[in-house]
Amino acid sequence: MANISREHWGSKIGFILAAAGSAIGLGNVWKFPYITGANGGAAFIIVYLGFILLLGLPILITEIVIGRHTGKDPVGAFKTLAPNSIWKNTGYIAIFTAFIIVSFYSVVGGWTLGYIVKSVLGEISKFENIKTSGGAFNNFIGNPFSMIFYHFLFLLTCLIIIQLGVKKGIERYSKILMPIFLFLIVLIIIRGLMMPGSFKGVSFLLDPDFSKLSWSAVIDALGHSFFTLSLGMGTMITYGSYLNKKEKILSSSVYIAILDTVIALLAGFAIFPAVFAMNMDPSGGPGLIFSILPVVFSNIPYGAIFAFIFFVLLFIAALTSAISMIEVVVAYLVDEKKWSRPKATYSFGFVIFLIGIPAALSFGAIKDFKIFFGYNFFDFLDKLTSNIMLPAGGLLFAIFLGWKYGLNKTMHELDQDTSVTVLKKVWAVTVKFVSPVLLLFVMIYPLMVIIYNYLKK
Ligand code: PHE
């Protein structure tokens, strides 16, 4: 079924690094540490690991199977597997989701660039306490010009790499950037562990305290196991569509999930020991990275250099993920609309730039504008996509493959070694039953909370 003239990854490791580059993103370095911090540390991590196995990994395999089986972008894939049915809308939903997520993800990508510049200018060494640091962060994200400028610069970097092509752009840069990322994170961990008192941070990550684990923490863990593997919007369908027939999907997916999980844990070890050593609050929320860490960097010798290293690694994480989101739409325009890759990349890039502007202004010019239930534009897009659109996408993929198209017709896509026969069966049962139920929970829970709070009033 695959189209011969379409581009493919040059190697299995190239695919794994590109997909891991997609998976390892702001979710790992920014979000995972702060939701872990807010939810009591190790106990939360244990639940999260369980969901990676029950939800993340099975849907990751599902998406890659759909992509490789058809060799098409998400819309083309559903059109091929279920011609003339409403299922092709699943592909459109995925593309629409990618479109929205990248517009605000790119804004945060811009923050990382801004903080790289701040560390080069030596500003970060002046944030002695949380007041100065938090104030500087709020000023920064409240400044409309720098927000739009950095959003633009970040996006442009993504576009330049994407228009070079799958192999010469995305794969080549993932192979360069991911090892650099790993090296930098190890440097930061070593620096953190060398600080006196850092050990409290280590035990925070390793000693489970189940009393802190609430229902909403469990739902956070569930939703995050899904977001962190870049699922629900056709990224992995798209990346899977460039995978050669001879490569093994099962083992590749396991590597991708392991890399992603290990990096999330390493990010915890890069952040919490230092935060504890400075007696700061681990449950600092979204500001943990941009307000609390700069205080740590300002108070240690050579802090500015470590700040620079840290924000470069955060930038790399955001970059390779944003690239994978944009590629979903570019693949659609190239495959279905027959546009050239540069034309698809730049014209779509321009549209994302425009859509990102309200998100970029959400903390400044339009911060008092609440679009929905007290959420500003940025938070609204974040909640809408992570709690509703991505899980809905994943649910549709699982139901499609598990119930409509039939898993039997795709089993040959999975590794043929007899040693994995049992795993294939486990995958089948999980995709058909377990993952859809878990995804329904992610979607229904926030609604239940809203209704509950409403009734309580
Ligand atoms: N997985 C990425 C992260 O953890 C986010 C992402 C979601 C990327 C969906 C692509 C698609 O930050």
Side-chain angles (χ1 to χ4, degrees), residues 97-267:
T97 310
F99 199 68
I100 296 188
I101 296 195
V102 72
S103 66
F104 70 86
Y105 203 86
S106 160
V107 172
V108 184
W111 298 356
T112 67
L113 279 177
Y115 267 66
I116 292 177
V117 173
K118 276 183 194 299
S119 43
V120 172
L121 296 178
E123 277 179 44
I124 297 219
S125 33
K126 297 193 198 102
F127 298 158
E128 298 88 10
N129 57 47
I130 189 71
K131 249 208 169 123
T132 39
S133 177
F137 177 58
N138 286 333
N139 280 343
F140 173 66
I141 62 174
N143 179 332
F145 296 105
S146 33
M147 282 302 95
I148 294 182
F149 171 72
Y150 285 121
H151 161 56
F152 175 78
L153 204 62
F154 178 81
L155 200 57
L156 188 65
T157 319
C158 298
L159 301 181
I160 291 175
I161 295 179
I162 294 173
Q163 55 89 29
L164 288 172
V166 174
K167 206 181 335 190
K168 293 212 181 87
I170 303 177
E171 179 172 357
R172 188 162 104 210
Y173 281 89
S174 304
K175 275 161 103 175
I176 300 172
L177 292 171
M178 293 322 285
I180 297 181
F181 173 89
L182 201 65
F183 176 70
L184 296 182
I185 204 166
V186 170
L187 286 184
I188 296 286
I189 294 175
I190 295 175
R191 182 67 191 93
L193 291 177
M194 276 163 49
M195 293 168 66
S198 63
F199 208 73
K200 279 180 281 174
V202 176
S203 53
F204 177 71
L205 286 167
L206 297 180
D207 274 347
D209 172 4
F210 283 97
S211 69
K212 291 232 178 75
L213 205 63
S214 61
W215 269 110
S216 76
V218 173
I219 298 291
D220 272 355
L222 193 52
H224 192 65
S225 71
F226 196 68
F227 181 81
T228 190
L229 288 174
S230 305
L231 302 173
M233 51 174 253
T235 314
M236 293 301 177
I237 297 184
T238 309
Y239 275 21
S241 74
Y242 302 129
L243 186 64
N244 269 315
K245 284 284 178 201
K246 65 178 198 312
E247 306 298 1
K248 295 180 176 172
I249 292 183
L250 222 48
S251 64
S252 307
S253 305
V254 171
Y255 285 127
I256 297 165
I258 291 180
L259 278 171
D260 182 75
T261 307
V262 167
I263 295 292
L265 297 175
L266 287 184

Side-chain angles (χ1 to χ4, degrees), residues 19-31 97-98 101 105 224 226-236 260 317-318 320-326 328 390:
S22 164
I24 298 167
L26 294 167
N28 301 60
V29 189
W30 177 52
K31 195 164 181 189
T97 310
I101 296 195
Y105 203 86
H224 192 65
F226 196 68
F227 181 81
T228 190
L229 288 174
S230 305
L231 302 173
M233 51 174 253
T235 314
M236 293 301 177
D260 182 75
T320 47
S321 297
I323 285 176
S324 73
M325 299 175 183
I326 301 173
V328 173
L390 290 179

Side-chain angles (χ1 to χ4, degrees), residues 55-112:
L55 178 63
L57 190 57
I59 303 288
L60 175 64
I61 298 171
T62 304
E63 285 203 27
I64 300 178
V65 163
I66 295 178
R68 217 261 302 267
H69 190 54
T70 57
K72 294 257 169 69
D73 66 287
V75 171
F78 286 96
K79 273 192 189 160
T80 309
L81 298 181
N84 303 323
S85 75
I86 55 165
W87 281 99
K88 73 166 184 287
N89 294 316
T90 309
Y92 286 116
I93 295 175
I95 287 179
F96 183 63
T97 310
F99 199 68
I100 296 188
I101 296 195
V102 72
S103 66
F104 70 86
Y105 203 86
S106 160
V107 172
V108 184
W111 298 356
T112 67

Side-chain angles (χ1 to χ4, degrees), residues 433-453:
F433 303 101
V434 185
S435 307
V437 172
L438 292 177
L439 285 167
L440 274 176
F441 266 119
V442 181
M443 293 164 67
I444 293 171
Y445 185 80
L447 285 180
M448 282 169 26
V449 173
I450 291 176
I451 295 172
Y452 175 79
N453 287 338

